[in-house]
Amino acid sequence: MTEAADREPDALVRAVEATLFAADAPMTVKAISDHLGGADVRDALATLAGHYAGRGVELVERGERWHFQTAPDLAHLLRREREDVRRLSRAATEVLAIVAYHEPVSRAEIEAIRGVQTAKGTLDVLLEAGWVRVAGRREVPGRPVIYATTPDFLAHFGLASRRDLPGIDELRAAGLLEPVDEAMAAFDFDGKGDAPDAQDAGQAEAGD
Amino acid sequence: MTEAADREPDALVRAVEATLFAADAPMTVKAISDHLGGADVRDALATLAGHYAGRGVELVERGERWHFQTAPDLAHLLRREREDVRRLSRAATEVLAIVAYHEPVSRAEIEAIRGVQTAKGTLDVLLEAGWVRVAGRREVPGRPVIYATTPDFLAHFGLASRRDLPGIDELRAAGLLEPVDEAMAAFDFDGKGDAPDAQDAGQAEAGD
Amino acid sequence: MSETDAETGLFSGIDAWDGPATAPTEDKALYLELDGWEGPLDLLLDLARRQKVDLRRISILGLVDQYLVYIDRAEALRLELAADYLVMAAWLAYLKSALLLPRDEQEDPSPEELALRLQLRLQRLGAMREAAARLMARDRLGRDVFRRGAPEGLRVDRRNAWQCDWFDLIQAYGQVKARTAPVVHMVRDRMVMTLDSALARVSAMLGVNLDWMELRDFLPPHADPRLRRSALASSFVAALELARQGKADLAQDETFGPLRLRRAGA
């Protein structure tokens, strides 16, 4: 193929180019030829294939049919991933916090602690975010799925381990437990740890 | 554009080429850029347009959107038996022209030019074809809806912009795009005499 | 003609006009088909074009005559004429008489002004007619030029990058705790001395004391009043239990009198 041929495609080359471009399916040599009044289009196809070689679009023959396609190395352009930055909803944040503090927990336990039902989508969001994982099933009747946090969770929140989560005392000191610090103090004093929580959970569940 | 640039398109040119080839709708510069991670694609578009000039396929800009299409001079080879193109009634073509040359226009203004009422369906056909859009309301008593053309209109009729509308400069220079009232004001009458025009327009509106 | 063409271009090009006009007639007899026109202005424009001059040099009087002739013929043929054709005919008849009247008897607006206005309207409609024809004759997408027949299409897969910061997380937990406070509040009512601890406490105290002791002496000193009540109840039950087990003796001198206990066998 000469430079001149490349720069100034002849009428047949242009016709073949336009025909294949506009076609809604790959075409055989015969079909192209028929479309163009029986002209011999083989040379034109070779010229075109040469012209498009290395460009963003290529002329290729597959199963004796010719068509244009995006260059294989640019196929990633056809399917782009786009990241939409989205803030976790209030509900999802609560569920995440509960999983982090109480893991492993079942959905019923989460709901009991939150005191409200947890939409299926909320946990899905956390699973999608990669912060929560399914950690098996609890060996109780119904074998509920239990959830735990992931290393990604620790990484995202800059925690070395779950132990880095502030304890109840620290939450209280930060004023995050405002209306109930007295009661919290009481059960802390008892040294029973999570027990009251579990009890609460039971009550809340019953109330559901 | 040098020979070398033509023969060996750089990565961005290839990416723009592939993107526009693969796109199923014309794309704005911004859309292309967004798709390619924010790159400035203007030069690449110019390079590509230059490369494709004279080929069987061309890169064109229509209403600030870019797309590839077959060269117009090859129409005779490609014209299909079943025309995809909507056949417009005479009234619809006229209304379309009036919207295009006068936009934005209200229905009453269209009717004032045509001297007849515009059937409801006529504008609907143009709206449905995607060539005309509602462009808001005119802030005059009655707040009539006003119409304008769309990028699809420009693409369909091969216009880079409204400035490319055939003869629009001559029409404007001849004052044929200004309302009769304004033209009349330029003549040395005593400024009244709205009779026939206002009457017609009034009738048309009343008939609505 | 050529001069005016050059001057006015698009909108004067009678010969270029190949729009939806009515069938040409040799003897200038009009084609009497009302469907062919879109209203009186359209008919007037068609008549004007038959004058084969620039629309700006059209003879309005001649045009009026032609229009009226047309309407007369239509009526002679008993064609149903739409009202607006008749209104236009009446108005044109008025215009014609006004144009022919001596000047001093004329009213405002002047017939010349009305004629000019009609002319301007015809020019504008004519211009749009031609513009429409030229527009329709362009290389149209899908008819003359084609977009790619089988584009791969661009797909954008959206992925959510979820955001949540440390403070929100911690605050959320705090608020869950705060929200369930009424429930947690019950914990304070459970500031109780359990039976087990009462048993242990009473047993231990019996072990170091041989004399009768009043039950109240077994209660923890300085305790919260509510804890005292709980402790009293638990200690009472513990005392009964210890008595049942034979580990303690109970004594009460009168109804509701102080309950005393001591180690069994002391």
Side-chain angles (χ1 to χ4, degrees):
Chain A
M1 188 179 60
T2 66
E3 284 289 319
D6 190 30
R7 308 284 305 168
E8 286 168 36
D10 70 19
L12 185 58
V13 168
R14 293 183 71 233
V16 172
E17 188 178 27
T19 299
L20 281 172
F21 174 85
D24 44 24
M27 293 176 85
T28 60
V29 169
K30 180 167 184 324
I32 304 167
S33 172
D34 286 353
H35 188 82
L36 299 176
D40 182 352
V41 298
R42 284 168 202 282
D43 287 351
L45 282 168
T47 304
L48 274 177
H51 171 80
Y52 277 94
R55 300 201 60 89
V57 169
E58 296 185 347
L59 181 61
V60 294
E61 185 187 7
R62 296 274 183 274
E64 305 201 337
R65 286 165 196 269
W66 291 79
H67 72 275
F68 282 111
Q69 68 173 29
T70 306
D73 64 310
L74 298 177
H76 63 280
L77 293 177
L78 303 182
R79 272 194 68 174
R80 298 229 65 139
E81 275 216 338
R82 217 183 89 186
E83 287 209 333
D84 291 341
V85 174
R86 297 181 60 183
R87 281 206 79 75
L88 217 51
S89 71
R90 175 85 213 158
T93 308
E94 283 185 17
V95 171
L96 179 61
I98 291 167
V99 173
Y101 273 91
H102 296 263
E103 75 177 39
V105 282
S106 70
R107 183 162 155 191
E109 288 158 1
I110 294 168
E111 289 177 346
I113 295 168
R114 287 188 67 215
V116 288
Q117 279 189 36
T118 298
K120 177 89 178 70
T122 308
L123 268 164
D124 287 345
V125 162
L126 297 173
L127 291 164
E128 184 198 308
W131 292 337
V132 164
R133 65 188 166 87
V134 170
R137 289 177 179 276
R138 200 182 295 299
E139 291 305 335
V140 297
R143 302 190 69 240
V145 167
I146 49 179
Y147 300 92
T149 53
T150 63
D152 271 2
F153 164 80
L154 296 176
H156 181 89
F157 290 94
L159 301 167
S161 81
R162 275 182 64 239
R163 283 190 301 277
D164 288 357
L165 286 169
I168 296 302
D169 288 340
E170 290 163 282
L171 292 182
R172 181 176 52 247
L176 290 172
L177 298 176
E178 262 326 295
V180 286
D181 45 354
E182 224 184 326
M184 297 298 272
F187 84 74
D188 233 22
F189 183 77
D190 277 353
K192 286 198 172 179
D194 274 347
D197 244 356
Q199 232 167 328
D200 290 354
Q203 281 175 0
E205 255 178 333
D208 254 358
Chain B
M1 190 177 56
T2 67
E3 285 288 316
D6 191 28
R7 312 269 319 156
E8 284 170 36
D10 69 20
L12 184 58
V13 168
R14 291 184 73 232
V16 173
E17 186 179 27
T19 299
L20 281 173
F21 243 77
D24 41 24
M27 294 176 82
T28 61
V29 168
K30 178 165 187 322
I32 303 166
S33 173
D34 286 353
H35 192 76
L36 299 176
D40 182 352
V41 298
R42 285 169 201 281
D43 287 351
L45 282 168
T47 303
L48 276 176
H51 173 79
Y52 278 92
R55 300 201 60 89
V57 170
E58 298 183 343
L59 179 60
V60 295
E61 183 187 9
R62 302 282 184 251
E64 305 198 338
R65 290 156 203 259
W66 293 78
H67 71 265
F68 281 108
Q69 65 178 30
T70 57
D73 65 306
L74 300 174
H76 61 286
L77 294 173
L78 302 170
R79 210 166 265 153
R80 290 167 185 170
E81 284 162 26
R82 181 182 62 78
E83 274 193 9
D84 294 339
V85 175
R86 180 186 293 277
R87 290 208 74 82
L88 288 181
S89 70
R90 178 178 157 195
T93 50
E94 243 174 66
V95 171
L96 180 61
I98 292 169
V99 173
Y101 284 79
H102 293 263
E103 77 176 43
V105 281
S106 70
R107 186 157 161 166
E109 288 158 358
I110 296 169
E111 291 178 342
I113 294 171
R114 298 188 62 227
V116 285
Q117 284 181 39
T118 298
K120 180 87 179 69
T122 307
L123 266 165
D124 287 349
V125 163
L126 299 174
L127 288 163
E128 192 196 321
W131 292 340
V132 166
R133 67 188 165 90
V134 170
R137 292 179 179 274
R138 202 182 292 300
E139 291 304 335
V140 296
R143 302 188 71 238
V145 166
I146 47 178
Y147 300 91
T149 53
T150 63
D152 271 4
F153 163 80
L154 297 175
H156 182 88
F157 290 97
L159 303 163
S161 74
R162 279 187 64 241
R163 284 190 299 277
D164 282 0
L165 283 168
I168 192 167
D169 290 338
E170 302 160 62
L171 288 173
R172 188 173 290 125
L176 287 173
L177 296 182
E178 64 186 25
V180 170
D181 283 341
E182 279 176 36
M184 289 299 287
F187 288 94
D188 199 16
F189 289 105
D190 41 11
K192 279 185 73 183
D194 280 357
D197 209 52
Q199 223 169 339
D200 288 357
Q203 275 175 7
E205 264 172 12
D208 236 354
Chain C
M1 181 73 195
S2 61
E3 213 181 277
T4 46
D5 262 357
E7 202 174 281
T8 56
L10 170 68
F11 48 89
S12 66
I14 294 166
D15 296 330
W17 171 252
D18 61 352
T22 50
T25 51
E26 282 111 37
D27 60 350
K28 293 202 176 181
L30 286 161
Y31 206 68
L32 291 177
E33 195 183 330
L34 276 172
D35 289 346
W37 286 285
E38 294 218 354
L41 205 60
D42 186 21
L43 171 55
L44 276 168
L45 181 61
D46 196 29
L47 292 169
R49 293 196 179 282
R50 284 161 203 271
Q51 292 187 8
K52 294 272 179 195
V53 293
D54 183 339
L55 279 181
R56 293 182 305 175
R57 301 179 185 195
I58 198 165
S59 158
I60 288 292
L61 269 180
L63 186 61
V64 168
D65 282 340
Q66 287 174 44
Y67 186 90
L68 295 176
V69 165
Y70 171 81
I71 295 299
D72 283 348
R73 285 200 200 182
E75 284 182 326
L77 290 171
R78 296 183 188 178
L79 287 177
E80 197 79 24
L81 278 176
D84 49 351
Y85 286 87
L86 298 176
V87 169
M88 180 62 91
W91 186 77
L92 288 175
Y94 160 78
L95 176 62
K96 180 182 173 184
S97 63
L99 283 169
L100 295 175
L101 274 177
R103 204 158 254 290
D104 54 337
E105 293 182 30
Q106 283 167 15
E107 294 175 13
D108 193 42
S110 69
E112 285 78 14
E113 186 179 346
L114 296 178
L116 175 62
R117 181 172 280 273
L118 177 61
Q119 199 171 332
L120 292 177
R121 293 191 67 194
L122 289 173
Q123 282 178 24
R124 277 158 181 70
L125 180 59
M128 284 302 104
R129 281 285 155 79
E130 290 202 24
R134 287 178 65 172
L135 206 50
M136 293 303 139
R138 288 184 64 84
D139 291 319
R140 291 167 64 183
L141 204 56
R143 186 186 72 176
D144 307 296
V145 296
F146 297 87
R147 305 210 337 108
R148 189 151 170 230
E152 289 95 340
L154 299 174
R155 264 184 57 189
V156 178
D157 294 337
R158 300 202 165 185
R159 223 174 64 85
N160 293 320
W162 291 100
Q163 279 299 318
C164 179
D165 58 38
W166 186 87
F167 180 76
D168 288 341
L169 182 75
I170 301 310
Q171 190 188 41
Y173 189 68
Q175 294 199 2
V176 167
K177 286 293 177 192
R179 196 170 61 225
T180 53
V183 178
V184 171
H185 218 74
M186 304 292 285
V187 170
R188 189 146 71 168
D189 284 336
R190 282 192 267 106
M191 290 206 317
V192 296
M193 177 175 288
T194 62
L195 182 56
D196 284 346
S197 58
L199 268 174
R201 185 178 172 88
V202 173
S203 301
M205 289 177 76
L206 283 178
V208 297
N209 213 327
L210 301 177
D211 283 339
W212 289 96
M213 285 177 69
E214 202 180 322
L215 184 60
R216 293 189 185 282
D217 296 334
F218 288 86
L219 303 185
H222 319 302
D224 181 273
R226 281 180 297 175
L227 181 59
R228 266 186 90 80
R229 287 168 65 88
S230 167
L232 181 59
S234 297
S235 298
F236 173 65
V237 174
L240 293 176
E241 175 64 18
L242 289 171
R244 190 184 66 80
Q245 291 175 2
K247 291 180 180 170
D249 298 330
L250 293 184
Q252 189 176 33
D253 298 335
E254 54 179 321
T255 308
F256 298 120
L259 184 71
R260 291 177 297 135
L261 66 162
R262 68 172 184 187
R263 188 156 46 140

